[in-house]
């Protein structure tokens, strides 16, 4: 019968020789299994006298503990190695992507539209909407453009075949929304109305028969031209950023008086002519059923398309409408 | 409207300041300066030269060689890109070494192998008119080699090109602009009364005017001038006209234009010998009446047009728009009838617009000319003509129609400040108004005051008009800026928020937003399988923009075609836009649609997208019903349902439509009525805490006839599974010969769970069994395996 110390040495030798968990399992069976010399030696203990039995038993127990430790330690080593090997086999080049999901892109007009809405919502405005096919009344009549007035000529209006000839048109500006809001809402009113507008225009780099405007309307007690100028200035700072300022120049629109053009001054000192504005004309208030002695207001409006072009560095309006994916995916 | 600084100073000599500052001030007054240019300057190196010969460039078509004599008798060769000169013409030559007004240096250089010793100049290049095309042909008789400025009597000047708004009839004249500018600068403004030595017979003895249309013609003044000059106008006048963009013609025409630019009163000259008896009348035209205008065009008139007629009731002028050819001045004209009239603005605007004849005259009349300026305009013409040897018959004929009445407006200082946001007192207001002719009776007590509107401001008639003038003269830039404060919380409506939610979902799914034109060409809808054309545009510029869309489909199909033609297939696009399906009340129905086009994908991709959309919007009861839809693949199309009502369609585009659009891949399609969708019953189901107990999954596969939709089978399972069924999902579909024609296998995963216990095998088995029975009996299905 082998000495317990020899069994430990043998177990150490075999465990070290095992290079896989499977081999180690065989070693385990051989060195500590039911048929192992260790177990055989234990069974043989009964034949010894009590003194020798105790001594031999202690030696066997110590060998058993040592062998278990050897096996466990080797198992840990081999398991780690096996895991490392498996992971090494699974190595991936993380830049190998063949099914990259695309990003969808909002149209530059929508992006501009939403930015503008957000600026005005932040200033306490609600967002109003109106129909794109509009009546002659809301587009012109309610806005103090009398029938046959030359000022109507400033708008190259597209009409549609609906109702009486000349009664129904594609709105030439978002201003009809002013009239609709004033008819339907008691002042105070703080709204903006972004929307699509139409004019009889030949498409080129700077003109399209369809375009987008945003309109602002404030009706409150004692609203002044100074409030209008201050609001334009506050919007300018909020939308364009620090260093941009604004100015108002007298102009003419039938639905506002006094009327003004407003320009944005860039930090480099150049000017961007942005839009028109003014104090709501008493005739417009009258047409919408608001007492102009009780309430005063201002309105402003400007084009979104050109803003989008400038913001994104696009040089041709027609690009907005091609739906070329190479265009859409840039923004 | 172009004005010269020197001309403005004839009315307000003390106008001072840099041209740039003056331009700023004009803009601040509402007379936007579109362009500021220095004219008559930098002409030092430009001399009068004579064309000796012209010949082709041996090596270029677009330029030719011109020999000129610049005063030394030598032939100097110049390459020139304009061909409008003839041998013997006097032309401006920029000699070598000259720096042009635009900064260009003239050097001796070779152009395609030929020497060019200077440059011949167009009018635009030297600040004389707008002509960029041809070389400016100078008058004969100018001495060769003389500096052009000296030869033409040109002085350095500043030209302002102003944008004049429709409410500023006064600013359509040098006088009016000077009045505004002087008012702002606080310098004197005055108009010298023209001096006329009229003599002999009275004008009334030689001419008469009868006004049969008094609403059209408020005033009609006539002077009779004899010995009118037949040659060119004086150089100083021609130079001014050239500078403001009016080509000099001859003395009489130039005088007429000069007076119009200066005083804003259009006027017209008739050859007196061609007006029998000197008799003129004014009436409305007859429908279909014809006359030939000065431009040689025969015009057919309507009852809305005004005409000037002769003794025989023949139209000799189109009121306020253009004179007639039959009484035109010629080289033989000795005596003229000079007309200065006031015409109804609206009538003139309509006639000019209808005939497409916007003239300098009509653009002034339609703003509203000054009826009081008429005698002065006649006198000014006579005065200038007298310097050229003309004489004037005594006095004028002054016929009156219904001229606009003088208006007085009550102004409340408090109201002025309330609108403008200023703190001006009544005296400050009247002081601002007085220099522009808005005279008032303010007593200096701060009380309301009356303002008399000047005759040259017919646009002004109410208090707000006067308030605008106060603000304008005070300066918008001087007004303190404030931001009004509202108690309202800014917000988007739920519809606006939903749109953004949809946009975020779709872009997050890799679908980009398209923006097709909302117009269609005739037949576009039919080509997309959508039936008849929608609402038509009455006056489109091109046929492609003549139909309003009834669906977003043609536009998005076109976008797919566009990209496919540029070698990008498989594009996914969406649009949210309005359509006009026909019908409506006061206005045509206008419905907001959402459409998604998925090129390269099959119909079920649209269904999957619709389900995500519905879930995202928390639509309570969304569905899909198979069935044919116009323009979609008949076997791969269906209705999008909400609460059992159709709100749209989905499927694949009909292959025939794809062919018409030259699209070579399958295209999945979804289009919904966004309003109907968003207004449907929506909201999350009541919250249920996730169960703490394990769930049990079972798979069931059925053989189901094709006409039974998977959705319906799924719904049957959901109902049969009852409370315990947590979810049911289709995970496999297949067809095979064994299953037979018209049937397919649908495999579902069912998950059962309870919130209060672990389900035992018997419970799951019972639920499973009731699901199987429900499906097999309801859908003519058999359980597989």
């Amino acid at each position: 019968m082998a000495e317990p110390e020899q069994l430990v040495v043998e177990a150490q030798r075999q465990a070290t020789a095992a290079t896989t968990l499977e081999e180690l399992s065989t070693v385990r069976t051989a060195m500590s299994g039911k048929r192992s010399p260790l177990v055989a030696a234990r069974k043989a203990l009964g034949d010894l006298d009590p003194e020798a039995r105790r001594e031999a038993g202690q030696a066997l127990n110590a060998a058993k503990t040592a062998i278990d430790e050897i096996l466990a330690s080797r198992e840990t080593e081999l398991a780690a190695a096996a895991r490392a090997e498996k992971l090494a086999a699974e190595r991936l080049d993380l830049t190998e992507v063949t099914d990259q999901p695309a990003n969808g892109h909002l149209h530059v007009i929508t992006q501009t539209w939403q930015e503008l809405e957000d600026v005005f919502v932040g200033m306490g405005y609600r967002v109003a909407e109106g129909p794109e096919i509009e009546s002659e009344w809301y587009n012109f009549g309610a806005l103090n453009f009398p029938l046959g007035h030359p000022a109507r000529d400033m708008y190259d209006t597209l009409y549609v075949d609906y109702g009486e000839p000349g009664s129904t048109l594609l709105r030439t500006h978002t201003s009809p929304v002013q009239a609709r809001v004033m008819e339907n809402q008691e002042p105070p009113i703080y709204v903006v109305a972004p929307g699509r507008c139409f004019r009889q225009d030949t498409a080129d780099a700077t003109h399209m028969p369809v375009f987008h405007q945003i309109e602002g309307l404030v009706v409150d007690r004692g609203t002044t031209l100074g409030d209008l100028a201050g609001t334009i200035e506050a919007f300018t700072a909020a939308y364009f950023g620090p260093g941009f300022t604004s100015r108002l120049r007298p102009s003419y629109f039938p639905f506002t008086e006094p009327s003004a053009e407003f320009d944005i001054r860039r930090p480099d000192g150049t000017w961007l002519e942005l839009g028109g504005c003014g104090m709501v004309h008493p005739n417009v208030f009258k047409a919408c059923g608001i007492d102009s002695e009780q309430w005063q207001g201002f309105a402003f409006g400007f084009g979104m398309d050109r803003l989008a072009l400038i913001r994104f560095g696009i040089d041709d309006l027609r690009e907005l409408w091609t739906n070329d994916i190479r265009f859409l995916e840039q923004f | 409207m172009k004005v010269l600084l020197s001309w403005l100073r004839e009315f307000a000599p003390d106008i001072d300041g840099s041209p740039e500052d003056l331009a700023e001030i004009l803009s601040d007054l509402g007379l936007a300066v579109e362009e500021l240019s220095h004219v008559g300057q930098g002409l030092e190196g430009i001399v009068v030269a004579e064309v000796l010969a012209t010949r082709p460039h041996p090596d270029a078509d677009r330029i030719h060689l011109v020999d000129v004599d610049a005063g030394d008798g030598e032939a100097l060769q110049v390459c020139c890109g304009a061909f409008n000169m003839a041998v013997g013409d006097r032309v401006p030559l920029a000699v070598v070494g000259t720096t042009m007004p635009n900064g260009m240096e003239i050097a001796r250089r070779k152009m395609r192998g030929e020497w060019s010793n200077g440059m011949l100049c167009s009018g635009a290049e030297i600040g004389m008119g707008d002509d960029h095309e041809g070389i400016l042909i100078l008058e004969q008789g100018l001495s060769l080699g003389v500096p052009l400025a000296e030869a033409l009597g040109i002085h350095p000047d500043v030209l302002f090109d102003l944008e004049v708004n429709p409410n500023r009839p006064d600013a359509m004249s040098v006088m009016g602009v000077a009045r505004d500018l002087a008012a702002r600068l606080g310098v004197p403004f005055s108009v010298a009364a023209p001096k006329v030595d009229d003599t002999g017979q009275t004008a009334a003895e030689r001419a008469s005017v009868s006004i049969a249309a008094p609403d059209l013609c408020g005033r009609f003044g006539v002077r009779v001038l004899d010995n009118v000059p037949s040659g060119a106008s004086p150089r100083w006048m021609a130079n001014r006209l050239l500078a403001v963009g009016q080509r000099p013609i001859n003395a009489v025409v130039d005088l007429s234009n000069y007076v119009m630019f200066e005083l804003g009163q259009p006027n017209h000259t008739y050859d007196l010998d061609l007006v029998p008896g000197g008799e003129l009348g004014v009436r409305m035209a007859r429908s279909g009446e014809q006359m030939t205008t000065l431009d040689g065009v025969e015009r057919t008139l309507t009852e809305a047009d005004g005409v000037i007629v002769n003794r025989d009731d023949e139209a000799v002028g189109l009121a306020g728009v253009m004179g007639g050819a039959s009484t035109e001045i010629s080289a033989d004209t000795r005596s003229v009838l000079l007309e200065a009239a006031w015409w109804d603005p609206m009538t003139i605007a309509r006639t000019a617009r209808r005939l497409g004849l916007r003239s300098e005259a009509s653009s002034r009349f339609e703003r509203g000319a000054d009826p009081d300026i008429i005698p002065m305009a006649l006198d000014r013409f006579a005065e200038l003509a007298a310097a050229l040897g003309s004489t004037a018959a005594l006095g004028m004929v002054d016929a009156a129609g219904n001229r606009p009445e003088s208006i007085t407006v009550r102004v409340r200082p408090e109201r002025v400040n309330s609108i403008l946001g200023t703190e001006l007192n009544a005296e400050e207001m009247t002081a601002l108004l007085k220099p522009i002719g808005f005279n008032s009776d303010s007593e200096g007590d701060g009380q309301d005051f009356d303002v008399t509107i000047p005759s040259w401001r017919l646009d002004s008639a109410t208090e707000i008009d006067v308030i605008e003038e106060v603000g304008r003269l005070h300066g918008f830039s001087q007004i303190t800026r404030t931001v009004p404060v509202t108690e309202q919380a800014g917000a988007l409506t739920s519809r606006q928020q939903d749109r953004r939610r949809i946009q975020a979902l779709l872009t997050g799914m890799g679908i980009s937003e398209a923006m097709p034109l909302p117009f269609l060409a005739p037949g576009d809808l039919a080509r997309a399988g959508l039936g008849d054309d929608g609402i038509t545009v009455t006056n489109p510029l091109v046929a492609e923009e003549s139909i309003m869309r009834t669906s977003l489909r043609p536009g998005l199909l076109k976008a797919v075609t566009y990209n496919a033609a540029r070698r990008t297939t498989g594009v996914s696009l969406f649009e949210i836009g309005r359509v006009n399906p026909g019908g409506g009340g006061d206005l045509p129905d206008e419905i907001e649609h959402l459409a998604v086009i998925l090129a390269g994908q099959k119909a079920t991709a649209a269904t999957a997208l619709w389900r995500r959309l519905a879930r995202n919007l928390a639509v309570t009861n969304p569905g899909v019903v198979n069935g044919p839809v116009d323009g979609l693949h008949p076997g791969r199309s269906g209705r999008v349902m909400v609460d059992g009502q159709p709100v749209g369609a989905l499927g694949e585009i009909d292959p025939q439509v794809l062919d018409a659009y030259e699209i070579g891949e399958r295209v999945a399609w979804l289009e919904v009525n966004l309003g109907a969708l968003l207004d449907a019953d929506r909201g999350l189901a009541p919250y249920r805490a996730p169960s703490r107990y394990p769930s049990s999954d079972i798979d069931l596969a059925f053989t189901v006839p094709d006409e039974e939709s998977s959705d319906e089978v799924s719904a049957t399972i959901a109902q049969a599974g009852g409370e315990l069924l947590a979810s049911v999902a289709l995970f496999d579909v297949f067809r095979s010969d064994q299953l037979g024609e018209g049937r397919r296998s649908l495999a579902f995963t069912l998950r059962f769970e309870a919130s209060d216990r672990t389900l035992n095998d018997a419970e799951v088995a019972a639920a499973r069994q009731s699901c199987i029975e429900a499906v097999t009996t309801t859908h003519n299905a058999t359980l597989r395996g």
Side-chain angles (χ1 to χ4, degrees):
Chain A
M1 190 185 107
E3 289 301 315
E5 293 80 4
Q6 285 177 320
L7 290 176
V8 173
V9 170
E10 179 60 15
Q12 181 69 63
R13 192 192 62 78
Q14 289 193 23
T16 307
T19 56
T20 66
L21 287 169
E22 289 75 25
E23 285 174 21
L24 187 65
S25 176
T26 311
V27 173
R28 188 187 306 277
T29 307
M31 298 308 297
S32 69
K34 289 175 185 163
R35 295 167 200 276
S36 63
L38 199 63
V39 172
R42 275 217 174 141
K43 285 178 180 164
L45 284 177
D47 299 341
L48 298 179
D49 60 49
E51 181 90 0
R53 187 190 305 161
R54 194 174 66 239
E55 202 172 306
Q58 283 171 348
L60 280 175
N61 281 342
K64 162 87 171 132
T65 304
I67 289 170
D68 284 351
E69 274 174 14
I70 287 165
L71 290 172
S73 152
R74 183 58 177 160
E75 183 173 10
T76 305
E77 277 174 31
L78 289 177
R83 222 169 24 244
E85 193 182 351
K86 187 173 177 223
L87 293 179
E90 285 180 356
R91 179 189 177 279
L92 261 190
D93 168 8
L94 298 193
T95 64
E96 280 173 7
V97 179
T98 55
D99 51 358
Q100 174 68 50
N103 267 319
H105 300 258
L106 276 188
H107 198 278
V108 290
I109 288 294
T110 304
Q111 293 187 37
T112 307
W113 179 310
Q114 293 185 354
E115 282 171 21
L116 292 168
E117 279 180 344
D118 292 346
V119 166
F120 285 109
V121 165
M123 291 168 70
Y125 289 64
R126 299 280 169 88
V127 180
E129 297 172 16
E132 291 171 1
I133 298 186
E134 194 41 288
S135 69
E136 170 279 322
W137 168 252
Y138 283 109
N139 198 76
F140 290 128
L143 299 174
N144 196 32
F145 291 78
L147 264 176
H149 194 276
R152 290 194 180 196
D153 289 355
M154 298 193 303
Y155 301 82
D156 299 312
T157 310
L158 286 167
Y159 291 86
V160 295
D161 299 322
Y162 191 87
E164 291 294 309
S167 68
T168 313
L169 47 77
L170 293 165
R171 68 175 173 192
T172 58
H173 47 184
T174 41
S175 306
V177 183
Q178 280 183 37
R180 288 180 173 274
V181 169
M182 283 192 275
E183 275 188 355
N184 291 312
Q185 187 188 331
E186 294 288 318
I189 295 170
Y190 288 78
V191 295
V192 288
R196 183 169 271 189
C197 309
F198 305 82
R199 277 185 203 172
Q200 196 189 45
D201 237 333
T202 302
D204 64 23
T206 55
H207 299 84
M208 283 299 294
V210 193
F211 57 98
H212 303 84
Q213 281 188 345
I214 185 163
E215 187 91 4
L217 173 71
V218 166
V219 180
D220 208 336
R221 297 202 188 272
T223 302
T224 69
L225 185 63
D227 287 334
L228 168 58
T231 298
I232 297 283
E233 183 74 4
F235 157 74
T236 300
Y239 181 77
F240 291 95
F244 286 81
T245 56
S246 62
R247 75 170 172 201
L248 267 52
R249 286 182 288 114
S251 188
Y252 171 76
F253 306 101
F255 42 106
T256 51
E257 189 163 13
S259 296
E261 302 275 351
F262 63 94
D263 306 334
I264 307 300
R265 187 176 188 274
R266 303 184 182 94
D268 67 3
T270 58
W271 291 94
L272 166 67
E273 292 183 17
L274 192 60
C277 61
M279 301 301 293
V280 177
H281 197 286
N283 291 353
V284 175
F285 276 136
K286 192 176 169 194
C288 300
I290 290 179
D291 180 357
S292 62
E293 292 292 319
Q294 297 287 319
W295 301 98
Q296 297 178 182
F298 63 74
F300 58 85
F302 54 91
M304 281 192 241
D305 306 64
R306 198 162 55 103
L307 268 191
L309 259 56
I310 293 167
R311 198 159 181 86
F312 294 100
I314 304 161
D315 57 9
D316 191 325
L317 262 184
R318 288 168 292 194
E319 291 291 349
L320 300 180
W321 301 90
T322 58
N323 301 310
D324 190 324
I325 200 82
R326 296 167 300 174
F327 173 84
L328 298 174
E329 288 186 343
Q330 288 187 49
F331 309 102
Chain B
M1 171 78 191
K2 291 178 175 170
V3 293
L4 284 165
L5 182 55
S6 66
W7 208 342
L8 292 171
R9 284 187 173 138
E10 290 186 4
F11 293 93
D14 298 339
I15 289 175
D16 209 358
S18 77
E20 290 72 22
D21 287 349
L22 292 176
E24 279 294 310
I25 291 167
L26 286 166
S27 290
D28 198 47
L29 284 164
L31 302 169
V33 176
E34 298 194 315
E35 196 180 349
L36 163 66
S37 41
H38 296 268
V39 297
Q41 294 180 25
L43 301 179
E44 291 75 16
I46 298 166
V47 301
V48 177
E50 180 184 352
V51 176
L52 298 176
T54 65
R55 59 187 179 281
H57 189 293
D59 210 20
D61 291 337
R62 296 196 173 172
I63 53 175
H64 63 153
L65 304 174
V66 183
D67 285 341
V68 295
D69 175 2
D72 57 5
E74 300 277 325
L76 194 65
Q77 175 174 301
V78 177
C79 296
C80 183
F83 293 78
N84 64 319
M85 72 291 288
V87 171
D89 280 349
R90 296 282 196 272
V91 290
L93 169 73
V95 301
V96 169
T98 303
T99 304
M100 298 296 290
N102 67 3
M104 184 171 63
E105 305 264 352
I106 305 298
R108 180 170 191 266
R109 61 193 187 108
K110 271 195 168 171
M111 296 174 78
R112 291 247 174 163
E114 289 287 340
W115 283 107
S116 186
N117 301 289
M119 185 181 83
L120 304 183
C121 307
S122 70
E125 279 165 333
I126 52 177
M128 297 186 67
D130 298 329
D131 191 352
H132 293 264
E133 300 292 321
I135 299 303
L136 181 67
I137 306 298
L138 303 169
E139 61 197 88
Q140 292 293 335
L142 295 180
S143 302
L144 301 184
V146 175
L148 188 72
E150 183 186 325
L152 297 181
I154 299 172
H155 303 289
D157 210 333
V158 178
L159 183 71
F160 301 102
D161 189 355
L162 307 177
E163 185 190 355
V164 179
N165 287 310
N167 66 332
R168 294 298 307 279
D170 61 309
M172 291 298 282
S173 69
V174 177
M175 175 178 68
V177 174
R179 183 190 294 118
D180 243 27
L181 191 53
R184 170 59 73 79
L185 294 172
V187 300
F189 165 84
S190 61
V191 185
K195 294 184 188 66
V196 184
D197 292 322
D198 47 2
T199 173
Q201 270 188 304
T202 63
E205 287 173 87
R206 298 174 64 191
S208 67
V209 177
S210 64
I211 299 175
D215 289 337
L216 165 70
C217 182
R219 190 175 188 183
F220 196 115
V222 169
R223 261 194 179 279
V224 175
L225 304 180
D226 300 302
N227 305 313
V228 295
S230 57
S233 50
R235 194 164 286 145
W236 65 267
M237 184 181 290
N239 287 344
R240 276 197 171 163
L241 291 174
L242 259 180
V244 302
Q246 180 70 48
R247 178 178 284 278
I249 311 286
N250 61 47
V252 173
V253 173
D254 293 355
L255 276 168
S256 175
N257 285 325
Y258 190 87
V259 169
M260 175 178 66
F261 287 124
E262 183 172 77
L263 301 178
Q265 173 63 50
N267 53 86
H268 183 67
T269 49
Y270 302 81
D271 187 326
L272 183 57
D273 292 337
L274 301 176
V275 180
E279 291 177 36
L280 292 176
V282 176
R283 63 166 168 81
M284 299 310 290
R286 300 186 186 97
S287 181
E289 185 170 359
Q290 294 191 317
M291 73 162 290
T292 303
T293 43
L294 271 177
D295 52 8
V297 179
E298 179 157 300
R299 311 276 174 182
T300 303
L301 307 179
T302 74
E303 289 166 356
D305 304 319
V307 287
I308 297 131
V309 295
N310 62 16
R311 187 170 66 189
D312 304 321
D313 202 37
E314 293 162 348
V316 295
L318 187 53
V321 179
M322 194 177 272
S326 65
T327 56
E328 189 179 358
I329 305 290
S330 70
D332 300 329
T333 301
R334 299 304 301 150
S335 301
V336 300
L337 275 180
L338 173 64
E339 165 209 316
W342 187 90
W343 305 104
D344 171 54
M346 298 282 255
T347 307
I348 303 310
R350 277 193 287 262
T351 296
R353 184 173 60 173
R354 188 178 59 77
L355 296 175
L357 238 180
R358 295 288 299 277
S359 61
E360 289 281 356
S362 71
S363 68
R364 286 171 174 77
F365 286 128
E366 69 182 37
R367 282 179 161 85
D370 175 3
D372 286 357
I373 200 77
I374 285 172
M376 180 182 281
L378 294 172
D379 286 356
R380 179 65 169 151
F381 191 113
E383 178 187 52
L384 291 166
L388 304 177
S390 174
T391 55
L394 200 60
M396 63 180 276
V397 175
D398 192 357
N402 299 329
R403 54 167 288 177
E405 284 169 19
S406 169
I407 292 173
T408 300
V409 173
R410 190 83 175 154
V411 176
R412 296 164 292 171
E414 191 188 333
R415 177 76 169 170
V416 176
N417 285 324
S418 171
I419 292 284
L420 297 178
T422 48
E423 291 174 5
L424 301 169
N425 60 39
E427 287 62 51
E428 289 167 319
M429 292 175 193
T430 53
L432 288 168
L433 291 169
K434 192 171 169 24
I436 56 165
F438 286 63
N439 292 318
S440 71
D441 64 352
S442 174
E443 317 233 320
D445 55 3
Q447 297 300 304
D448 298 353
F449 56 91
D450 286 332
V451 170
T452 305
I453 306 294
S455 57
W456 56 83
R457 288 304 299 272
L458 291 179
D459 60 290
S460 287
T462 59
E463 184 184 38
I464 194 69
D465 297 323
V466 178
I467 293 173
E468 178 172 56
E469 292 307 302
V470 173
R472 197 171 66 79
L473 272 298
H474 177 63
F476 287 180
S477 55
Q478 303 303 309
I479 294 171
T480 307
R481 295 176 174 190
T482 45
V483 181
V485 179
T486 169
E487 290 170 9
Q488 167 182 287
L492 298 177
T493 63
S494 57
R495 168 71 71 94
Q496 289 156 356
Q497 292 176 43
D498 282 336
R499 261 188 224 129
R500 290 196 181 194
R501 176 186 275 269
I502 293 167
Q503 287 163 337
L505 171 73
L506 295 175
T507 52
M509 291 172 68
I511 304 170
S512 287
E513 186 186 23
M515 194 169 80
L517 276 176
F519 299 119
L520 302 176
D524 272 356
L525 286 163
R527 202 156 61 102
L530 287 164
D532 292 344
D533 283 342
I535 289 172
T536 52
V537 179
T538 312
N539 55 336
L541 284 183
V542 289
E544 287 71 30
E545 296 163 5
S546 64
I547 311 277
M548 301 309 290
R549 57 193 179 173
T550 61
S551 160
L552 303 180
R553 207 186 296 163
L556 287 174
L557 280 171
K558 205 171 154 191
V560 169
T561 303
Y562 182 95
N563 283 294
R566 285 154 187 79
R567 300 176 37 74
T568 304
T569 52
V571 298
S572 299
L573 298 170
F574 78 92
E575 183 189 4
I576 294 174
R578 317 241 184 122
V579 302
N580 306 101
D586 289 345
L587 290 175
D589 285 340
E590 189 170 303
I591 297 174
E592 189 170 37
H593 274 199
L594 162 69
V596 186
I597 196 160
L598 304 169
Q601 300 191 47
K602 62 178 185 176
T604 46
T607 314
L609 190 143
W610 155 238
R611 289 185 177 158
R612 277 188 77 168
L613 179 68
R615 182 68 193 88
N616 191 275
L617 295 170
V619 175
T620 312
N621 187 17
V624 169
V625 174
N626 291 317
V629 174
D630 286 350
L632 299 186
H633 188 306
R636 296 185 171 201
S637 54
R639 298 279 165 198
V640 176
M641 309 295 287
V642 172
D643 296 330
Q645 296 297 315
V647 298
L650 82 181
E652 273 174 42
I653 302 294
D654 190 324
Q656 197 179 332
V657 172
L658 294 177
D659 285 349
Y661 278 85
E662 294 174 1
I663 297 170
E665 53 188 334
R666 285 186 185 282
V667 175
W669 176 255
L670 169 70
E671 182 167 17
V672 294
N673 176 332
L674 200 56
L677 172 62
L678 296 176
D679 293 343
D681 191 18
R682 291 166 58 198
L684 299 172
Y687 171 71
R688 279 169 49 184
S691 173
R692 290 193 188 81
Y693 300 91
S695 58
S696 304
D697 289 353
I698 59 165
D699 291 350
L700 291 176
F702 299 98
T703 306
V704 186
D706 282 345
E707 51 286 4
E708 301 289 325
S709 84
S710 166
D711 247 9
E712 288 159 348
V713 176
S714 188
T716 302
I717 293 171
Q719 187 161 17
E723 285 276 291
L724 300 180
L725 183 65
S727 67
V728 54
L730 180 71
F731 73 90
D732 188 45
V733 181
F734 81 89
R735 291 176 164 77
S736 72
D737 291 345
Q738 275 111 335
L739 294 174
E741 187 85 354
R743 298 173 80 79
R744 83 286 199 201
S745 161
L746 299 175
F748 298 89
T749 287
L750 287 63
R751 169 162 293 188
F752 293 97
E753 69 182 20
S755 61
D756 56 353
R757 65 189 188 283
T758 304
L759 296 177
N760 62 39
D761 289 352
E763 283 177 299
V764 174
R768 176 179 183 275
Q769 194 52 42
S770 45
C771 290
I772 293 167
E773 277 170 18
V775 171
T776 50
T777 54
T778 314
H779 299 292
N780 186 22
T782 54
L783 183 69
R784 296 184 56 242

